[in-house]
Amino acid sequence: MYNLVYKSIANSLTPAQIDEILIESRDFNGKNDITGCLIYHEGFFVQYLEGDAEIVLALFDKIRVDTRHYEVILLSHGNIYSREFDTWSMAYLSNQLPNEAFKYIKLMVSPEEEIPNMSVVPNPTSKKFWIAAKTVLNKIGHNNFN
């Protein structure tokens, strides 16, 4: 099992384009046993992906050249023993579209909370994801998520 987390800056995207990204992601991920989380807020993306290393890395190669965003920066990657997002083909957080993952992720990035080590086996990539998510959401304005 392998995971990676990256951040990027979105080009001007409409809500319909974000929906398209989610539909594509969830379809591909479901067919390829990839799970993860995508956070989009005020023009910034932070995404965590996990699954078979070859598939995740090939997907990331496609993500890096996707013209819907730029400045794609790989924050962390590596092998893992267990999934962080085992029940979500692509959890999504946005102040525009709350869903089943919204409350969980909102709690995780609260400015008052420390980033916990949620994995059974310490997962540095997971921790990088939560730190990046917290940074992006709090720097831009966490109050938009209340």
Side-chain angles (χ1 to χ4, degrees), residues 26-35 50-52 55 83:
R26 288 175 175 154
D27 181 57
F28 179 86
N29 293 354
K31 291 175 181 173
N32 291 280
D33 197 28
I34 293 176
T35 53
E50 57 194 3
D52 177 79
I55 296 170
R83 291 180 187 262

Side-chain angles (χ1 to χ4, degrees), residues 100-117:
E100 76 279 357
F102 184 80
K103 289 181 182 178
Y104 174 74
I105 297 169
K106 182 179 168 189
L107 175 66
M108 297 306 300
V109 299
S110 168
E112 295 82 31
E113 297 295 324
E114 290 295 317
I115 301 294
N117 184 359

Side-chain angles (χ1 to χ4, degrees), residues 55-73:
I55 296 170
V56 170
L57 289 169
L59 176 58
F60 185 62
D61 285 341
K62 290 179 185 177
I63 288 169
R64 284 197 309 220
V65 298
D66 190 319
T67 59
R68 296 175 287 194
H69 64 164
Y70 60 98
E71 290 190 28
V72 179
I73 299 170

Side-chain angles (χ1 to χ4, degrees), residues 35-39 46-49 85 88-93 101 105 129-130:
T35 53
C37 182
L38 173 67
I39 294 178
V46 176
Q47 186 168 30
Y48 179 99
L49 297 167
F85 295 96
W88 294 327
S89 63
M90 186 50 59
Y92 175 65
L93 175 67
I105 297 169
F129 170 76
W130 291 114

